[in-house]
Amino acid sequence: MNALVNEFIIKLKKRKIEGSKATAKLTAEVLRSCISQKRLPHTHQAAALIDAIRTIGEKLIAANPVELAIGNIVRRVLNIIREEDVSLTAAAVGGLAVSAGSDDEDDFKQDDHPGLSAAAVAAAARSTLRPPSLQTLLEDIPQSTAVPHTSSSGGDSEGKSKSADKNSKSRKLKHNVIEAVNELIQDIVTCHEQIAEQAVEHIHHNEVILTLGNSRTVMEFLCAAKEKKRSFRVFVAEGAPRYQGHALAKELVARGLQTTVITDSAIFAMISRVNMVVVGAHTVMANGGVIAPVGMNMVALAAQRHAVPFVVLAGAHKLCPLYPHNPEVLLNELKSPAELLDFGEFSDCLDFGSSSGSPLLHVVNPAFDYVPPNLVSLFITDTGGHNASYMYRLIADYYSADDFVVKQIDVLK
């Protein structure tokens, strides 16, 4: 397990894995392997599994803090563990209640003895990280309904039964969590198709669509509208300095879409001809803000100025429960200056012979931009279209508030 995690950490540190989708999928697969290999204790299985995933997740996030999809998947898996444990606990409590009501039903009718009280059920449900204990349930049951004392041989058989139940619950918890993680991986793999199915509802005949960057989600979205016999034109900003728009334009032309490549500086001049801006996202924050490829804020401002809808496509794995001001969020990173300048041409500007001991020329090449929520008209996710003001509620369905901060805090020094 450690070898698998360490290998993945090395790939993250060396930036060998590009793209939020690929990173999210591999993160989920690594965590699934760790869960399947984890040996759980007889008690507090969910708590032990959560601690293990927290420890691994902290290392993965530290390996590439800019790729927020890693933390998103870690938090999703933690939430899955909590939900499955609550489900098993509720099922166990329900089973005890049913058995208590069915045993000696005639005697209960004659004596009017109550079954398991609501207080007993609540006492078992209060601790979602512990399996239901028969002793805990009986503490809240009146003495008249207590089970009669059994013989020593009966106690031995009861102890063996409890041990078997604990082992069964441990296997059941891991099985259910792994099944849920498999569904999460499947959702990540198919997010492009689920978003693309909605294209026909938003793109109409003879419209002009503007996009920036090279988003696979955007490409599938536009091509899905083309397959539905929609006739429209796409303006693709080239996305300097990496010129990702060139690759997207080639893909769109190969799929039969009318495409026009424009320079980034021409966006404001061309936006008046555009009916809608459709872009991808690196991450969607809890406040509805978007971390996207550099230059996206300029596009959003131009769209607002000319009252053009600004639509963001994002899979559920890109929805982050954190806010931009949270200390755990690293909004940007600087790319190599070589993408902007040829050092051969500017070598004389990089001379360290000045009295200050620093070069005369500095190069800043940020990778991302932040688009505030007030500039976003609509989010289209796997589950449909949503306003920016609703994103916090949508995100709350995927995460637990206890997992927002993955890093473990050592209280006892």
Side-chain angles (χ1 to χ4, degrees):
M1 181 171 67
N2 290 332
L4 178 65
V5 174
N6 291 335
E7 181 182 358
F8 185 53
I9 288 175
I10 291 174
K11 291 182 179 180
L12 291 175
K13 289 182 176 179
K14 293 183 177 181
R15 303 299 194 266
K16 290 187 175 181
I17 304 173
E18 291 189 0
S20 298
K21 180 181 176 181
T23 305
K25 179 175 178 291
L26 290 175
T27 301
E29 291 174 349
V30 168
L31 294 179
R32 180 185 60 185
S33 299
C34 295
I35 292 171
S36 64
Q37 299 176 28
K38 175 67 177 176
R39 298 188 62 180
L40 300 180
H42 291 296
T43 59
H44 309 297
Q45 292 97 343
L49 196 55
I50 286 175
D51 289 340
I53 297 301
R54 277 183 178 273
T55 301
I56 297 171
E58 182 180 346
K59 296 178 181 179
L60 298 181
I61 293 172
N64 189 358
V66 177
E67 187 56 77
L68 297 178
I70 300 173
N72 296 343
I73 297 302
V74 171
R75 296 181 183 94
R76 287 283 296 273
V77 173
L78 290 173
N79 188 48
I80 287 173
I81 297 172
R82 296 180 189 277
E83 289 182 343
E84 294 299 335
D85 184 65
V86 170
S87 177
L88 288 176
T89 301
V93 172
L96 287 174
V98 171
S99 62
S102 60
D103 291 344
D104 297 329
E105 184 177 359
D106 295 336
D107 294 338
F108 275 102
K109 288 181 179 179
Q110 294 174 0
D111 300 335
D112 288 331
H113 284 321
L116 284 175
S117 65
V121 177
R126 275 195 295 266
S127 177
T128 60
L129 297 182
R130 291 199 302 269
S133 168
L134 186 59
Q135 179 181 357
T136 304
L137 294 175
L138 293 177
E139 286 176 354
D140 291 316
I141 297 179
Q143 292 294 328
S144 59
T145 62
V147 180
H149 179 68
T150 59
S151 62
S152 59
S153 60
D156 293 340
S157 62
E158 183 181 356
K160 293 180 181 179
S161 176
K162 286 183 180 180
S163 177
D165 290 342
K166 290 177 181 178
N167 292 332
S168 176
K169 183 177 184 298
S170 174
R171 291 192 296 269
K172 185 73 172 176
L173 176 64
K174 289 179 62 174
H175 176 269
N176 291 356
V177 170
I178 290 174
E179 286 297 320
V181 173
N182 287 337
E183 294 178 3
L184 172 61
I185 294 174
Q186 185 64 25
D187 289 341
I188 295 172
V189 172
T190 61
C191 69
H192 293 328
E193 290 79 3
Q194 295 175 9
I195 294 175
E197 290 176 356
Q198 308 170 54
V200 70
E201 303 174 8
H202 301 278
I203 298 179
H204 308 287
H205 282 295
N206 301 322
E207 286 190 337
V208 178
I209 310 298
L210 172 67
T211 188
L212 171 68
N214 185 16
S215 171
R216 169 78 184 281
T217 308
V218 171
M219 184 187 71
E220 295 295 340
F221 188 81
L222 297 175
C223 292
K226 176 68 166 57
E227 293 172 359
K228 296 295 183 179
K229 308 303 180 182
R230 293 287 194 266
S231 177
F232 59 95
R233 175 176 290 276
V234 182
F235 285 176
V236 179
E238 59 181 359
R242 304 179 72 183
Y243 300 105
Q244 295 178 333
H246 294 180
L248 177 61
K250 291 180 181 179
E251 290 282 349
L252 295 178
V253 170
R255 303 281 285 270
L257 276 80
Q258 301 181 28
T259 307
T260 302
V261 178
I262 63 174
T263 61
D264 297 339
S265 58
I267 288 176
F268 205 97
M270 303 294 290
I271 195 70
S272 60
R273 307 182 187 181
V274 172
N275 299 104
M276 181 170 59
V277 177
V278 178
V279 296
H282 178 68
T283 304
V284 178
M285 309 305 294
N287 66 336
V290 179
I291 299 178
V294 65
M296 198 65 75
N297 190 54
M298 173 184 64
V299 178
L301 289 171
Q304 183 191 50
R305 179 67 178 83
H306 289 269
V308 176
F310 185 86
V311 179
V312 177
L313 312 181
H317 61 278
K318 295 185 178 183
L319 306 182
C320 181
L322 303 178
Y323 289 84
H325 60 266
N326 287 130
E328 299 86 5
V329 177
L330 185 59
L331 291 177
N332 221 328
E333 70 175 347
L334 298 179
K335 295 293 186 179
S336 171
E339 295 180 350
L340 290 174
L341 300 178
D342 184 352
F343 285 108
E345 297 181 15
F346 291 87
S347 58
D348 54 338
C349 300
L350 300 174
D351 186 13
F352 285 86
S354 60
S355 58
S356 61
S358 61
L360 300 177
L361 179 65
H362 297 270
V363 179
V364 179
N365 184 16
F368 302 110
D369 231 344
Y370 176 71
V371 180
N374 62 295
L375 299 181
V376 180
S377 305
L378 181 69
F379 286 97
I380 300 179
T381 69
D382 314 17
T383 59
H386 308 282
N387 292 326
S389 59
Y390 182 76
M391 295 309 294
Y392 82 96
R393 184 65 188 86
L394 179 65
I395 290 173
D397 294 337
Y398 295 112
Y399 304 100
S400 169
D402 297 331
D403 303 322
F404 287 177
V405 180
V406 177
K407 185 175 181 180
Q408 295 178 331
I409 300 176
D410 191 4
V411 179
L412 299 177
K413 296 293 184 179

